[in-house]
Structure formats: structure tokens, C-alpha cells
Coordinates of all heavy atoms in Angstrom, one line a residue:
M22 N 32.7 -58.8 -4.4 CA 32.8 -57.4 -4.7 C 31.6 -56.7 -4.4 O 30.9 -56.1 -5.3 CB 33.2 -57.3 -6.2 CG 34.5 -57.9 -6.5 SD 35.0 -57.6 -8.2 CE 35.8 -59.1 -8.4
G23 N 31.2 -56.7 -3.2 CA 30.0 -56.0 -2.8 C 30.2 -54.7 -2.2 O 29.5 -54.3 -1.3
G24 N 31.3 -54.0 -2.6 CA 31.6 -52.7 -2.1 C 30.4 -51.7 -2.4 O 29.7 -51.8 -3.4
A25 N 30.1 -50.9 -1.4 CA 29.0 -49.9 -1.6 C 29.5 -48.8 -2.5 O 30.4 -48.1 -2.2 CB 28.7 -49.3 -0.2
H26 N 28.9 -48.8 -3.6 CA 29.2 -47.7 -4.5 C 28.0 -46.7 -4.5 O 26.9 -47.1 -4.5 CB 29.5 -48.2 -5.9 CG 28.5 -48.2 -6.9 ND1 27.6 -49.2 -7.1 CD2 28.1 -47.3 -7.9 CE1 26.7 -49.0 -8.0 NE2 27.0 -47.8 -8.5
E27 N 28.4 -45.5 -4.4 CA 27.4 -44.4 -4.2 C 26.8 -44.0 -5.5 O 27.5 -43.7 -6.4 CB 28.1 -43.2 -3.5 CG 27.1 -42.3 -2.8 CD 27.9 -41.3 -2.0 OE1 28.7 -41.7 -1.2 OE2 27.6 -40.1 -2.2
S28 N 25.5 -44.0 -5.6 CA 24.9 -43.5 -6.8 C 23.8 -42.5 -6.3 O 23.0 -42.9 -5.5 CB 24.3 -44.6 -7.7 OG 23.2 -45.2 -7.0
S29 N 23.8 -41.4 -6.9 CA 22.7 -40.4 -6.5 C 21.4 -40.8 -7.3 O 21.5 -41.4 -8.3 CB 23.1 -39.0 -6.9 OG 23.4 -38.9 -8.2
R30 N 20.3 -40.4 -6.7 CA 19.0 -40.7 -7.3 C 19.0 -39.9 -8.6 O 19.4 -38.7 -8.6 CB 17.9 -40.3 -6.4 CG 17.7 -41.2 -5.2 CD 16.5 -40.8 -4.5 NE 16.6 -39.4 -4.1 CZ 16.3 -38.9 -2.9 NH1 15.8 -39.6 -2.0 NH2 16.5 -37.6 -2.7
P31 N 18.4 -40.5 -9.6 CA 18.3 -39.7 -10.9 C 17.3 -38.6 -10.8 O 16.3 -38.7 -10.0 CB 17.9 -40.8 -11.9 CG 17.2 -41.8 -11.1 CD 17.9 -41.8 -9.8
E32 N 17.6 -37.5 -11.4 CA 16.6 -36.4 -11.4 C 15.4 -36.8 -12.3 O 15.6 -37.4 -13.3 CB 17.3 -35.1 -12.0 CG 18.3 -34.5 -11.0 CD 17.7 -33.9 -9.8 OE1 16.5 -33.4 -9.9 OE2 18.3 -33.9 -8.8
P33 N 14.2 -36.3 -11.9 CA 13.1 -36.6 -12.7 C 13.3 -36.0 -14.1 O 14.0 -34.9 -14.2 CB 11.9 -35.8 -12.0 CG 12.4 -35.6 -10.6 CD 13.9 -35.6 -10.7
A34 N 12.8 -36.6 -15.1 CA 12.9 -36.1 -16.5 C 12.5 -34.6 -16.6 O 11.5 -34.3 -16.1 CB 12.1 -37.0 -17.5
G35 N 13.4 -33.8 -17.2 CA 13.0 -32.4 -17.4 C 13.3 -31.5 -16.2 O 13.1 -30.3 -16.4
T36 N 13.8 -32.0 -15.1 CA 14.1 -31.1 -14.0 C 15.6 -31.1 -13.8 O 16.2 -32.1 -13.4 CB 13.4 -31.6 -12.7 OG1 12.0 -31.7 -12.9 CG2 13.7 -30.7 -11.5
P37 N 16.2 -30.0 -14.0 CA 17.7 -29.9 -13.9 C 18.1 -30.1 -12.4 O 17.3 -29.8 -11.5 CB 18.0 -28.5 -14.4 CG 16.8 -27.8 -14.4 CD 15.7 -28.7 -14.4
P38 N 19.3 -30.5 -12.1 CA 19.8 -30.8 -10.8 C 19.6 -29.6 -9.8 O 19.3 -29.7 -8.7 CB 21.2 -31.2 -10.9 CG 21.4 -31.6 -12.3 CD 20.3 -30.9 -13.1
G39 N 19.8 -28.4 -10.3 CA 19.8 -27.2 -9.5 C 18.4 -26.7 -9.3 O 18.1 -25.7 -8.7
G40 N 17.4 -27.3 -9.9 CA 16.0 -26.8 -9.9 C 15.6 -26.1 -11.2 O 16.4 -26.0 -12.1
A41 N 14.4 -25.6 -11.2 CA 13.9 -24.9 -12.4 C 13.0 -23.8 -12.0 O 12.6 -23.7 -10.9 CB 13.2 -26.0 -13.3
D42 N 12.7 -23.0 -13.0 CA 11.7 -21.9 -12.7 C 10.4 -22.4 -13.2 O 10.2 -23.0 -14.3 CB 12.1 -20.7 -13.5 CG 13.5 -20.1 -13.1 OD1 14.0 -20.6 -12.1 OD2 14.1 -19.3 -13.8
F43 N 9.3 -22.1 -12.4 CA 8.0 -22.5 -12.7 C 7.0 -21.4 -12.6 O 7.2 -20.5 -11.8 CB 7.5 -23.6 -11.7 CG 8.2 -24.9 -12.0 CD1 9.4 -25.3 -11.3 CD2 7.6 -25.8 -12.9 CE1 10.0 -26.5 -11.6 CE2 8.2 -27.1 -13.1 CZ 9.4 -27.4 -12.5
E44 N 6.0 -21.4 -13.4 CA 4.8 -20.5 -13.3 C 3.6 -21.4 -13.0 O 3.3 -22.3 -13.6 CB 4.7 -19.9 -14.7 CG 3.6 -18.9 -14.8 CD 3.5 -18.3 -16.2 OE1 4.3 -17.3 -16.5 OE2 2.7 -18.8 -17.0
I45 N 3.0 -21.0 -11.9 CA 1.8 -21.7 -11.4 C 0.6 -20.8 -11.4 O 0.7 -19.7 -10.8 CB 2.1 -22.2 -9.9 CG1 3.4 -23.1 -9.9 CG2 0.9 -23.0 -9.4 CD1 4.0 -23.3 -8.5
R46 N -0.4 -21.2 -12.1 CA -1.6 -20.3 -12.2 C -2.8 -20.9 -11.4 O -3.0 -22.1 -11.5 CB -2.0 -20.2 -13.6 CG -1.0 -19.5 -14.5 CD -1.4 -19.4 -15.9 NE -0.4 -18.8 -16.7 CZ -0.3 -17.4 -16.9 NH1 -1.3 -16.7 -16.4 NH2 0.6 -16.9 -17.6
V47 N -3.4 -20.1 -10.6 CA -4.6 -20.5 -9.8 C -5.8 -19.5 -10.2 O -5.5 -18.4 -10.6 CB -4.4 -20.5 -8.3 CG1 -3.3 -21.5 -7.9 CG2 -4.0 -19.1 -7.8
R48 N -7.0 -20.1 -10.1 CA -8.2 -19.3 -10.5 C -8.4 -18.2 -9.5 O -8.3 -18.4 -8.3 CB -9.4 -20.2 -10.6 CG -10.6 -19.4 -11.1 CD -11.8 -20.3 -11.4 NE -11.6 -21.4 -12.3 CZ -11.4 -21.4 -13.6 NH1 -11.5 -20.2 -14.2 NH2 -11.2 -22.5 -14.3
G49 N -8.8 -17.0 -9.9 CA -9.1 -15.9 -9.1 C -7.9 -15.1 -8.5 O -6.8 -15.5 -8.7
R50 N -8.2 -14.0 -7.9 CA -7.2 -13.1 -7.3 C -7.1 -13.5 -5.9 O -8.1 -13.2 -5.1 CB -7.5 -11.7 -7.6 CG -7.5 -11.3 -9.0 CD -8.1 -9.9 -9.3 NE -7.5 -8.9 -8.5 CZ -6.5 -8.0 -8.9 NH1 -6.1 -8.2 -10.1 NH2 -6.0 -7.1 -8.1
I51 N -6.0 -14.0 -5.4 CA -6.0 -14.4 -4.0 C -5.7 -13.2 -3.1 O -5.0 -12.3 -3.6 CB -4.9 -15.5 -3.8 CG1 -3.5 -15.1 -4.1 CG2 -5.3 -16.8 -4.6 CD1 -2.4 -16.1 -3.8
G52 N -6.2 -13.2 -1.9 CA -6.0 -12.1 -1.0 C -4.7 -12.1 -0.3 O -3.9 -13.1 -0.4
E53 N -4.5 -11.1 0.5 CA -3.2 -10.9 1.2 C -2.9 -12.1 2.1 O -1.8 -12.5 2.2 CB -3.2 -9.6 2.0 CG -1.9 -9.3 2.6 CD -0.7 -9.1 1.7 OE1 -0.9 -8.6 0.6 OE2 0.4 -9.6 2.0
A54 N -3.9 -12.6 2.8 CA -3.7 -13.7 3.7 C -3.2 -15.0 3.0 O -2.2 -15.6 3.5 CB -5.0 -14.1 4.5
F55 N -3.7 -15.2 1.8 CA -3.3 -16.4 1.0 C -1.9 -16.1 0.4 O -1.0 -17.0 0.3 CB -4.2 -16.7 -0.1 CG -5.5 -17.5 0.4 CD1 -6.6 -17.5 -0.4 CD2 -5.5 -18.2 1.6 CE1 -7.7 -18.2 0.0 CE2 -6.6 -18.9 2.0 CZ -7.7 -18.9 1.2
R56 N -1.7 -14.8 0.0 CA -0.4 -14.5 -0.6 C 0.8 -14.7 0.4 O 1.9 -15.1 0.0 CB -0.4 -13.0 -1.1 CG -1.0 -12.9 -2.4 CD -1.0 -11.5 -2.8 NE -2.0 -10.7 -2.1 CZ -2.4 -9.5 -2.5 NH1 -1.9 -8.9 -3.4 NH2 -3.4 -9.0 -1.8
S57 N 0.5 -14.5 1.7 CA 1.6 -14.7 2.7 C 2.0 -16.2 2.8 O 3.1 -16.5 3.2 CB 1.2 -14.1 4.0 OG 0.1 -14.8 4.6
A58 N 1.1 -17.1 2.4 CA 1.4 -18.5 2.4 C 2.4 -18.9 1.3 O 3.0 -20.0 1.4 CB 0.1 -19.3 2.2
F59 N 2.7 -18.0 0.4 CA 3.6 -18.2 -0.7 C 4.7 -17.2 -0.7 O 5.1 -16.7 -1.7 CB 2.8 -18.2 -2.0 CG 1.7 -19.2 -2.1 CD1 0.4 -18.8 -1.9 CD2 2.0 -20.5 -2.3 CE1 -0.7 -19.7 -2.0 CE2 0.9 -21.5 -2.3 CZ -0.4 -21.0 -2.2
G60 N 5.3 -17.0 0.5 CA 6.3 -15.9 0.7 C 7.5 -16.1 -0.2 O 8.2 -15.2 -0.5
E61 N 7.9 -17.4 -0.5 CA 9.1 -17.6 -1.3 C 8.8 -17.4 -2.8 O 9.8 -17.5 -3.6 CB 9.6 -19.0 -1.1 CG 8.8 -20.2 -1.7 CD 7.6 -20.6 -1.0 OE1 7.0 -19.9 -0.1 OE2 7.1 -21.7 -1.2
L62 N 7.6 -17.1 -3.2 CA 7.3 -16.9 -4.6 C 6.9 -15.5 -4.9 O 6.5 -14.7 -4.1 CB 6.0 -17.8 -5.0 CG 6.2 -19.3 -4.7 CD1 4.8 -20.0 -4.9 CD2 7.2 -19.9 -5.5
T63 N 7.1 -15.1 -6.2 CA 6.6 -13.8 -6.7 C 5.1 -14.0 -7.0 O 4.8 -14.9 -7.8 CB 7.4 -13.4 -7.9 OG1 8.8 -13.3 -7.5 CG2 6.9 -12.0 -8.4
V64 N 4.2 -13.2 -6.5 CA 2.8 -13.3 -6.8 C 2.4 -12.2 -7.7 O 2.6 -11.0 -7.4 CB 2.0 -13.2 -5.4 CG1 0.5 -13.3 -5.7 CG2 2.4 -14.3 -4.5
V65 N 1.8 -12.5 -8.8 CA 1.3 -11.6 -9.8 C -0.2 -11.7 -9.9 O -0.7 -12.8 -10.3 CB 2.0 -11.8 -11.2 CG1 1.4 -10.8 -12.2 CG2 3.5 -11.7 -11.1
L66 N -0.9 -10.6 -9.6 CA -2.4 -10.7 -9.7 C -2.8 -10.3 -11.1 O -2.4 -9.2 -11.6 CB -3.0 -9.8 -8.7 CG -2.7 -10.1 -7.2 CD1 -3.3 -9.0 -6.3 CD2 -3.3 -11.5 -6.9
R67 N -3.6 -11.1 -11.7 CA -4.2 -10.8 -13.0 C -5.7 -10.7 -12.8 O -6.2 -11.0 -11.8 CB -3.9 -12.0 -14.0 CG -2.4 -12.2 -14.2 CD -1.9 -11.4 -15.4 NE -0.5 -11.3 -15.4 CZ 0.3 -12.2 -16.1 NH1 -0.3 -13.2 -16.7 NH2 1.6 -12.1 -16.1
P68 N -6.4 -10.2 -13.8 CA -7.9 -10.0 -13.6 C -8.7 -11.2 -13.2 O -9.5 -11.1 -12.3 CB -8.4 -9.5 -15.0 CG -7.2 -8.9 -15.6 CD -6.0 -9.7 -15.1
A69 N -8.4 -12.4 -13.8 CA -9.2 -13.6 -13.4 C -8.3 -14.7 -12.8 O -8.8 -15.8 -12.5 CB -9.8 -14.1 -14.7
E70 N -7.1 -14.4 -12.5 CA -6.2 -15.5 -12.0 C -5.0 -14.8 -11.2 O -4.8 -13.6 -11.3 CB -5.7 -16.4 -13.1 CG -4.7 -15.7 -14.0 CD -4.3 -16.5 -15.2 OE1 -4.9 -17.6 -15.4 OE2 -3.5 -16.1 -16.0
T71 N -4.4 -15.7 -10.5 CA -3.1 -15.3 -9.8 C -2.0 -16.2 -10.3 O -2.2 -17.4 -10.4 CB -3.3 -15.5 -8.2 OG1 -4.3 -14.7 -7.8 CG2 -2.0 -15.1 -7.5
V72 N -0.9 -15.6 -10.6 CA 0.3 -16.3 -11.1 C 1.3 -16.3 -10.0 O 1.7 -15.2 -9.5 CB 0.8 -15.6 -12.4 CG1 2.0 -16.4 -12.9 CG2 -0.3 -15.5 -13.5
L73 N 1.8 -17.5 -9.7 CA 2.9 -17.7 -8.7 C 4.1 -18.0 -9.5 O 4.1 -19.0 -10.2 CB 2.5 -18.8 -7.7 CG 1.1 -18.6 -7.0 CD1 0.8 -19.9 -6.2 CD2 1.2 -17.4 -6.1
L74 N 5.2 -17.3 -9.3 CA 6.4 -17.5 -10.0 C 7.5 -18.0 -9.0 O 7.8 -17.3 -8.0 CB 6.9 -16.2 -10.7 CG 5.9 -15.6 -11.7 CD1 6.4 -14.2 -12.1 CD2 5.8 -16.5 -12.9
G75 N 8.0 -19.2 -9.3 CA 9.1 -19.7 -8.4 C 10.4 -19.9 -9.2 O 10.3 -20.4 -10.3
V76 N 11.5 -19.5 -8.6 CA 12.8 -19.6 -9.3 C 13.6 -20.6 -8.6 O 13.7 -20.6 -7.4 CB 13.5 -18.2 -9.2 CG1 14.9 -18.3 -9.8 CG2 12.6 -17.1 -9.9
G77 N 14.2 -21.5 -9.4 CA 15.1 -22.5 -8.8 C 14.5 -23.5 -8.0 O 15.1 -24.0 -7.0
L78 N 13.3 -23.9 -8.3 CA 12.5 -24.9 -7.5 C 12.9 -26.3 -7.9 O 13.0 -26.6 -9.0 CB 11.0 -24.7 -7.7 CG 10.4 -23.4 -7.3 CD1 8.9 -23.4 -7.7 CD2 10.6 -23.1 -5.8
D79 N 13.2 -27.1 -6.8 CA 13.4 -28.5 -7.2 C 12.0 -29.2 -7.0 O 11.0 -28.6 -6.7 CB 14.4 -29.2 -6.2 CG 14.1 -29.1 -4.8 OD1 12.9 -28.8 -4.4 OD2 14.9 -29.4 -3.9
Q80 N 12.0 -30.5 -7.3 CA 10.7 -31.2 -7.4 C 10.0 -31.2 -6.0 O 8.8 -31.0 -5.9 CB 10.9 -32.6 -7.9 CG 9.5 -33.3 -8.2 CD 9.7 -34.6 -8.9 OE1 10.7 -35.1 -9.1 NE2 8.6 -35.1 -9.4
A81 N 10.8 -31.4 -4.9 CA 10.2 -31.4 -3.6 C 9.5 -30.0 -3.3 O 8.4 -30.0 -2.7 CB 11.2 -31.7 -2.6
A82 N 10.2 -28.9 -3.6 CA 9.6 -27.6 -3.4 C 8.4 -27.4 -4.2 O 7.4 -26.9 -3.7 CB 10.7 -26.5 -3.7
L83 N 8.4 -27.8 -5.4 CA 7.2 -27.7 -6.3 C 6.0 -28.5 -5.7 O 4.9 -27.9 -5.6 CB 7.5 -28.2 -7.7 CG 6.4 -28.1 -8.7 CD1 5.9 -26.7 -8.9 CD2 6.8 -28.7 -10.0
Y84 N 6.2 -29.7 -5.3 CA 5.2 -30.5 -4.7 C 4.7 -29.9 -3.4 O 3.5 -29.9 -3.1 CB 5.6 -31.9 -4.4 CG 5.5 -32.8 -5.7 CD1 6.6 -33.3 -6.2 CD2 4.3 -33.0 -6.3 CE1 6.6 -34.1 -7.4 CE2 4.2 -33.8 -7.5 CZ 5.3 -34.3 -8.0 OH 5.2 -35.1 -9.1
G85 N 5.5 -29.3 -2.6 CA 5.1 -28.6 -1.4 C 4.2 -27.4 -1.7 O 3.2 -27.2 -1.0
I86 N 4.5 -26.6 -2.7 CA 3.7 -25.5 -3.1 C 2.3 -26.0 -3.6 O 1.3 -25.5 -3.3 CB 4.4 -24.7 -4.2 CG1 5.6 -24.0 -3.6 CG2 3.4 -23.7 -4.8 CD1 6.6 -23.5 -4.6
L87 N 2.3 -27.1 -4.4 CA 1.1 -27.6 -4.9 C 0.2 -28.2 -3.7 O -1.0 -28.0 -3.8 CB 1.3 -28.7 -5.9 CG 2.0 -28.3 -7.2 CD1 2.4 -29.5 -8.1 CD2 1.2 -27.2 -7.9
D88 N 0.9 -28.7 -2.7 CA 0.1 -29.2 -1.5 C -0.5 -28.0 -0.8 O -1.7 -28.1 -0.4 CB 1.0 -29.9 -0.6 CG 1.3 -31.3 -1.0 OD1 0.6 -31.9 -1.9 OD2 2.3 -31.9 -0.5
R89 N 0.2 -26.9 -0.7 CA -0.4 -25.7 -0.1 C -1.6 -25.2 -0.9 O -2.6 -24.7 -0.3 CB 0.7 -24.6 0.0 CG 1.4 -24.6 1.3 CD 2.4 -23.4 1.4 NE 3.6 -23.9 0.9 CZ 4.6 -23.2 0.4 NH1 4.5 -21.9 0.4 NH2 5.7 -23.7 -0.1
I90 N -1.4 -25.1 -2.2 CA -2.6 -24.7 -3.0 C -3.8 -25.5 -2.8 O -4.9 -25.0 -2.6 CB -2.2 -24.7 -4.5 CG1 -1.1 -23.6 -4.8 CG2 -3.4 -24.6 -5.4 CD1 -0.5 -23.7 -6.2
Q91 N -3.6 -26.8 -2.7 CA -4.8 -27.7 -2.4 C -5.3 -27.5 -1.0 O -6.5 -27.4 -0.8 CB -4.3 -29.2 -2.6 CG -5.5 -30.1 -2.4 CD -5.1 -31.6 -2.6 OE1 -3.9 -31.9 -2.5 NE2 -6.0 -32.4 -2.9
A92 N -4.4 -27.4 0.0 CA -4.9 -27.2 1.4 C -5.7 -25.9 1.5 O -6.6 -25.8 2.4 CB -3.7 -27.2 2.3
L93 N -5.3 -24.9 0.8 CA -6.0 -23.6 0.9 C -7.3 -23.6 0.1 O -8.0 -22.6 0.1 CB -5.1 -22.5 0.4 CG -3.9 -22.2 1.3 CD1 -2.9 -21.2 0.7 CD2 -4.4 -21.7 2.7
G94 N -7.6 -24.7 -0.7 CA -8.8 -24.7 -1.5 C -8.8 -23.9 -2.7 O -9.8 -23.6 -3.3
L95 N -7.6 -23.6 -3.2 CA -7.4 -22.8 -4.5 C -7.5 -23.8 -5.6 O -7.1 -24.9 -5.6 CB -6.1 -22.1 -4.5 CG -5.9 -21.1 -3.3 CD1 -4.4 -20.6 -3.4 CD2 -6.9 -20.0 -3.4
E96 N -8.1 -23.3 -6.7 CA -8.2 -24.1 -8.0 C -7.0 -23.9 -8.8 O -6.7 -22.8 -9.4 CB -9.5 -23.7 -8.7 CG -9.7 -24.6 -10.0 CD -10.9 -24.2 -10.8 OE1 -11.7 -23.4 -10.3 OE2 -11.0 -24.7 -11.9
L97 N -6.2 -25.0 -9.0 CA -5.0 -25.0 -9.8 C -5.4 -25.0 -11.3 O -6.2 -25.9 -11.7 CB -4.2 -26.2 -9.5 CG -2.9 -26.4 -10.3 CD1 -1.9 -25.3 -10.0 CD2 -2.3 -27.7 -10.0
L98 N -4.9 -24.1 -12.1 CA -5.2 -24.0 -13.5 C -4.1 -24.6 -14.4 O -4.3 -25.3 -15.3 CB -5.5 -22.5 -13.9 CG -6.7 -21.8 -13.3 CD1 -6.7 -20.4 -13.7 CD2 -8.0 -22.6 -13.6
E99 N -2.9 -24.2 -14.0 CA -1.7 -24.7 -14.8 C -0.4 -24.6 -14.0 O -0.2 -23.7 -13.2 CB -1.6 -23.7 -16.0 CG -0.5 -24.0 -17.0 CD -0.4 -23.0 -18.1 OE1 -0.9 -21.9 -18.0 OE2 0.2 -23.4 -19.1
V100 N 0.5 -25.5 -14.3 CA 1.8 -25.5 -13.9 C 2.7 -25.7 -15.1 O 2.5 -26.6 -15.8 CB 2.1 -26.6 -12.8 CG1 3.6 -26.6 -12.4 CG2 1.2 -26.5 -11.7
R101 N 3.6 -24.8 -15.3 CA 4.5 -24.9 -16.4 C 5.9 -24.4 -16.1 O 6.1 -23.5 -15.3 CB 4.0 -24.3 -17.7 CG 4.0 -22.8 -17.7 CD 3.5 -22.3 -19.0 NE 3.6 -20.8 -19.0 CZ 4.5 -20.2 -19.7 NH1 5.4 -20.9 -20.5 NH2 4.6 -18.9 -19.7
R102 N 6.9 -25.1 -16.7 CA 8.3 -24.7 -16.5 C 8.6 -23.6 -17.5 O 8.2 -23.7 -18.6 CB 9.2 -25.9 -16.8 CG 10.6 -25.7 -16.4 CD 11.3 -27.0 -16.5 NE 12.7 -26.7 -16.7 CZ 13.6 -27.5 -17.2 NH1 13.2 -28.7 -17.5 NH2 14.8 -27.2 -17.4
V103 N 9.3 -22.6 -17.0 CA 9.6 -21.5 -17.8 C 11.2 -21.4 -17.9 O 11.9 -21.9 -17.0 CB 9.0 -20.2 -17.3 CG1 7.5 -20.2 -17.4 CG2 9.5 -19.9 -15.9
P104 N 11.7 -20.8 -19.0 CA 13.1 -20.7 -19.1 C 13.7 -19.9 -18.0 O 13.1 -18.9 -17.6 CB 13.3 -20.0 -20.5 CG 12.0 -20.1 -21.2 CD 11.0 -20.3 -20.2
G105 N 14.8 -20.4 -17.4 CA 15.4 -19.7 -16.3 C 16.0 -18.4 -16.7 O 16.3 -18.1 -17.9
T106 N 16.1 -17.5 -15.8 CA 16.8 -16.2 -16.1 C 18.2 -16.3 -15.6 O 18.6 -16.9 -14.7 CB 16.1 -15.0 -15.3 OG1 16.1 -15.3 -13.9 CG2 14.7 -14.8 -15.8
S107 N 19.1 -15.7 -16.4 CA 20.5 -15.7 -16.0 C 20.9 -14.4 -15.3 O 21.0 -13.4 -15.9 CB 21.4 -15.9 -17.3 OG 21.1 -15.0 -18.2
T108 N 20.9 -14.5 -14.0 CA 21.3 -13.4 -13.2 C 22.6 -13.5 -12.5 O 23.0 -14.6 -12.2 CB 20.2 -13.0 -12.2 OG1 19.9 -14.2 -11.4 CG2 18.9 -12.5 -12.9

């Protein structure tokens, strides 16, 4: 009875199948050139930090954004999941 039964990979704990909304904070106010690297995110400039808001991100998308932050030499301060908006 070695029939191939299909099983999807389990989602990481805390990440819903459709993705989640995340708030990513980096130190300092990033300039326009860096902001364009995060076109799929909402960028909010604060006095001492930049907040990147992503809606419906799956784990692969989140890791891709974190890789870009590192490649650009930005200092990551915080990543947190925020309650999704119902639109």
C-alpha cells in the first residue's frame, strides 16, 4: 500500500496559510532610493526609524524582505506580526 498520498507542508507556527500582516522596523529614516527597494510595502517614516508594513506576507516573502534589509546594510530593530485588517 505504497500509494502516493499528497500532504502539504505544514505552515510554520503562527503563520496562517494565506499569509499575515507584519510591521518591520529599521533604524533611521531611509531615503527614496532605499524606499524603492520595498515597493510592495507601505513605508512610514518616523523621527528615528522607518516602519515597513506588509500585508498578507507569507514566510518566503518575509524572509525575502529581511534579506533585502541586510543587503542594503540597514539595521533591523524589530519584526512583529500585527492583526490583519478586514477589507
Side-chain angles (χ1 to χ4, degrees):
M22 295 186 212
H26 95 274
E27 199 172 309
S28 68
S29 61
R30 289 184 305 222
E32 287 293 326
T36 304
D42 298 348
F43 287 91
E44 183 178 277
I45 304 162
R46 295 175 181 272
V47 296
R48 185 172 309 282
R50 295 169 55 98
I51 63 174
E53 185 62 38
F55 282 157
R56 280 183 279 195
S57 65
F59 302 104
E61 75 277 21
L62 304 173
T63 300
V64 178
V65 179
L66 299 175
R67 300 272 168 85
E70 66 187 9
T71 300
V72 180
L73 306 170
L74 302 169
V76 177
L78 300 176
D79 61 13
Q80 190 170 12
L83 179 60
Y84 278 116
I86 293 164
L87 296 176
D88 283 344
R89 266 183 272 159
I90 289 170
Q91 183 179 23
L93 292 170
L95 302 172
E96 183 181 347
L97 180 65
L98 298 175
E99 179 183 21
V100 177
R101 72 181 184 102
R102 187 169 156 201
V103 295
T106 56
S107 53
T108 55

